PDB file of all heavy atoms in Angstrom:
ATOM      1  N   ARG A  17    -101.188  21.977  70.074  1.00  0.00           N
ATOM      2  CA  ARG A  17    -102.319  22.363  69.156  1.00  0.00           C
ATOM      3  C   ARG A  17    -101.575  22.779  67.905  1.00  0.00           C
ATOM      4  O   ARG A  17    -100.665  23.482  67.836  1.00  0.00           O
ATOM      5  CB  ARG A  17    -103.108  23.555  69.746  1.00  0.00           C
ATOM      6  CG  ARG A  17    -104.240  24.059  68.959  1.00  0.00           C
ATOM      7  CD  ARG A  17    -104.859  25.206  69.776  1.00  0.00           C
ATOM      8  NE  ARG A  17    -105.819  25.996  69.026  1.00  0.00           N
ATOM      9  CZ  ARG A  17    -107.129  25.848  69.068  1.00  0.00           C
ATOM     10  NH1 ARG A  17    -107.631  24.924  69.797  1.00  0.00           N
ATOM     11  NH2 ARG A  17    -107.921  26.685  68.339  1.00  0.00           N
ATOM     12  N   ALA A  18    -102.227  22.374  66.742  1.00  0.00           N
ATOM     13  CA  ALA A  18    -101.655  22.631  65.348  1.00  0.00           C
ATOM     14  C   ALA A  18    -102.754  23.182  64.449  1.00  0.00           C
ATOM     15  O   ALA A  18    -103.884  22.743  64.485  1.00  0.00           O
ATOM     16  CB  ALA A  18    -101.041  21.366  64.780  1.00  0.00           C
ATOM     17  N   LEU A  19    -102.346  24.132  63.708  1.00  0.00           N
ATOM     18  CA  LEU A  19    -103.201  24.851  62.573  1.00  0.00           C
ATOM     19  C   LEU A  19    -103.032  24.017  61.356  1.00  0.00           C
ATOM     20  O   LEU A  19    -101.917  23.763  60.885  1.00  0.00           O
ATOM     21  CB  LEU A  19    -102.673  26.178  62.408  1.00  0.00           C
ATOM     22  CG  LEU A  19    -103.298  26.928  61.226  1.00  0.00           C
ATOM     23  CD1 LEU A  19    -104.823  27.226  61.443  1.00  0.00           C
ATOM     24  CD2 LEU A  19    -102.586  28.285  60.970  1.00  0.00           C
ATOM     25  N   LEU A  20    -104.214  23.548  60.797  1.00  0.00           N
ATOM     26  CA  LEU A  20    -104.134  22.906  59.456  1.00  0.00           C
ATOM     27  C   LEU A  20    -103.766  23.909  58.447  1.00  0.00           C
ATOM     28  O   LEU A  20    -104.204  25.022  58.383  1.00  0.00           O
ATOM     29  CB  LEU A  20    -105.541  22.292  59.059  1.00  0.00           C
ATOM     30  CG  LEU A  20    -105.923  21.127  59.945  1.00  0.00           C
ATOM     31  CD1 LEU A  20    -107.337  20.566  59.446  1.00  0.00           C
ATOM     32  CD2 LEU A  20    -104.950  19.963  59.964  1.00  0.00           C
ATOM     33  N   LEU A  21    -102.870  23.486  57.514  1.00  0.00           N
ATOM     34  CA  LEU A  21    -102.446  24.400  56.418  1.00  0.00           C
ATOM     35  C   LEU A  21    -103.247  24.150  55.195  1.00  0.00           C
ATOM     36  O   LEU A  21    -102.775  23.679  54.163  1.00  0.00           O
ATOM     37  CB  LEU A  21    -100.968  24.075  56.139  1.00  0.00           C
ATOM     38  CG  LEU A  21     -99.982  24.205  57.389  1.00  0.00           C
ATOM     39  CD1 LEU A  21     -98.599  23.841  56.992  1.00  0.00           C
ATOM     40  CD2 LEU A  21    -100.056  25.662  57.877  1.00  0.00           C
ATOM     41  N   ASP A  22    -104.620  24.486  55.242  1.00  0.00           N
ATOM     42  CA  ASP A  22    -105.490  24.187  54.150  1.00  0.00           C
ATOM     43  C   ASP A  22    -105.092  24.794  52.804  1.00  0.00           C
ATOM     44  O   ASP A  22    -105.351  24.179  51.800  1.00  0.00           O
ATOM     45  CB  ASP A  22    -106.888  24.607  54.559  1.00  0.00           C
ATOM     46  CG  ASP A  22    -107.581  23.704  55.538  1.00  0.00           C
ATOM     47  OD1 ASP A  22    -107.741  22.535  55.210  1.00  0.00           O
ATOM     48  OD2 ASP A  22    -107.928  24.171  56.645  1.00  0.00           O
ATOM     49  N   ASP A  23    -104.418  25.893  52.844  1.00  0.00           N
ATOM     50  CA  ASP A  23    -104.061  26.595  51.605  1.00  0.00           C
ATOM     51  C   ASP A  23    -102.864  25.832  50.935  1.00  0.00           C
ATOM     52  O   ASP A  23    -102.841  25.743  49.675  1.00  0.00           O
ATOM     53  CB  ASP A  23    -103.672  28.004  51.834  1.00  0.00           C
ATOM     54  CG  ASP A  23    -104.870  28.913  52.266  1.00  0.00           C
ATOM     55  OD1 ASP A  23    -105.959  28.492  51.904  1.00  0.00           O
ATOM     56  OD2 ASP A  23    -104.637  29.998  52.747  1.00  0.00           O
ATOM     57  N   GLN A  24    -101.925  25.305  51.671  1.00  0.00           N
ATOM     58  CA  GLN A  24    -100.792  24.648  51.145  1.00  0.00           C
ATOM     59  C   GLN A  24    -100.965  23.190  50.852  1.00  0.00           C
ATOM     60  O   GLN A  24    -100.258  22.600  50.033  1.00  0.00           O
ATOM     61  CB  GLN A  24     -99.534  24.856  52.116  1.00  0.00           C
ATOM     62  CG  GLN A  24     -99.058  26.226  52.159  1.00  0.00           C
ATOM     63  CD  GLN A  24     -99.623  26.904  53.532  1.00  0.00           C
ATOM     64  OE1 GLN A  24    -100.702  26.614  53.969  1.00  0.00           O
ATOM     65  NE2 GLN A  24     -98.911  27.933  53.995  1.00  0.00           N
ATOM     66  N   ALA A  25    -101.798  22.511  51.677  1.00  0.00           N
ATOM     67  CA  ALA A  25    -101.984  21.081  51.492  1.00  0.00           C
ATOM     68  C   ALA A  25    -103.468  20.660  51.657  1.00  0.00           C
ATOM     69  O   ALA A  25    -103.864  19.963  52.551  1.00  0.00           O
ATOM     70  CB  ALA A  25    -101.181  20.362  52.527  1.00  0.00           C
ATOM     71  N   PRO A  26    -104.316  21.201  50.707  1.00  0.00           N
ATOM     72  CA  PRO A  26    -105.727  20.968  50.937  1.00  0.00           C
ATOM     73  C   PRO A  26    -106.197  19.535  50.854  1.00  0.00           C
ATOM     74  O   PRO A  26    -107.096  19.178  51.657  1.00  0.00           O
ATOM     75  CB  PRO A  26    -106.367  21.767  49.755  1.00  0.00           C
ATOM     76  CG  PRO A  26    -105.293  21.960  48.695  1.00  0.00           C
ATOM     77  CD  PRO A  26    -103.967  22.010  49.533  1.00  0.00           C
ATOM     78  N   ARG A  27    -105.670  18.737  49.995  1.00  0.00           N
ATOM     79  CA  ARG A  27    -106.095  17.325  49.868  1.00  0.00           C
ATOM     80  C   ARG A  27    -105.747  16.570  51.137  1.00  0.00           C
ATOM     81  O   ARG A  27    -106.422  15.719  51.716  1.00  0.00           O
ATOM     82  CB  ARG A  27    -105.484  16.656  48.603  1.00  0.00           C
ATOM     83  CG  ARG A  27    -105.984  17.252  47.314  1.00  0.00           C
ATOM     84  CD  ARG A  27    -105.404  16.463  46.122  1.00  0.00           C
ATOM     85  NE  ARG A  27    -103.997  16.194  46.128  1.00  0.00           N
ATOM     86  CZ  ARG A  27    -103.072  17.091  45.699  1.00  0.00           C
ATOM     87  NH1 ARG A  27    -103.480  18.183  45.158  1.00  0.00           N
ATOM     88  NH2 ARG A  27    -101.772  16.828  45.663  1.00  0.00           N
ATOM     89  N   THR A  28    -104.395  16.820  51.654  1.00  0.00           N
ATOM     90  CA  THR A  28    -104.019  16.101  52.811  1.00  0.00           C
ATOM     91  C   THR A  28    -104.726  16.541  54.024  1.00  0.00           C
ATOM     92  O   THR A  28    -105.210  15.776  54.825  1.00  0.00           O
ATOM     93  CB  THR A  28    -102.426  16.400  53.106  1.00  0.00           C
ATOM     94  OG1 THR A  28    -101.784  16.073  51.921  1.00  0.00           O
ATOM     95  CG2 THR A  28    -101.952  15.450  54.215  1.00  0.00           C
ATOM     96  N   CYS A  29    -104.947  17.883  54.146  1.00  0.00           N
ATOM     97  CA  CYS A  29    -105.815  18.392  55.317  1.00  0.00           C
ATOM     98  C   CYS A  29    -107.212  17.776  55.349  1.00  0.00           C
ATOM     99  O   CYS A  29    -107.725  17.348  56.444  1.00  0.00           O
ATOM    100  CB  CYS A  29    -105.979  19.847  55.289  1.00  0.00           C
ATOM    101  SG  CYS A  29    -104.360  20.741  55.724  1.00  0.00           S
ATOM    102  N   LYS A  30    -107.845  17.653  54.192  1.00  0.00           N
ATOM    103  CA  LYS A  30    -109.181  17.084  54.078  1.00  0.00           C
ATOM    104  C   LYS A  30    -109.114  15.706  54.462  1.00  0.00           C
ATOM    105  O   LYS A  30    -110.022  15.160  55.249  1.00  0.00           O
ATOM    106  CB  LYS A  30    -109.686  17.286  52.736  1.00  0.00           C
ATOM    107  CG  LYS A  30    -111.033  16.572  52.597  1.00  0.00           C
ATOM    108  CD  LYS A  30    -111.795  16.795  51.143  1.00  0.00           C
ATOM    109  CE  LYS A  30    -113.053  16.140  51.023  1.00  0.00           C
ATOM    110  NZ  LYS A  30    -113.672  15.426  52.004  1.00  0.00           N
TER     111      LYS A  30
END
Side-chain angles (χ1 to χ4, degrees):
R17 182 177 166 100
L19 172 68
L20 290 183
L21 303 176
D22 284 303
D23 290 342
Q24 293 97 334
R27 295 185 312 272
T28 307
C29 289
K30 179 179 180 357

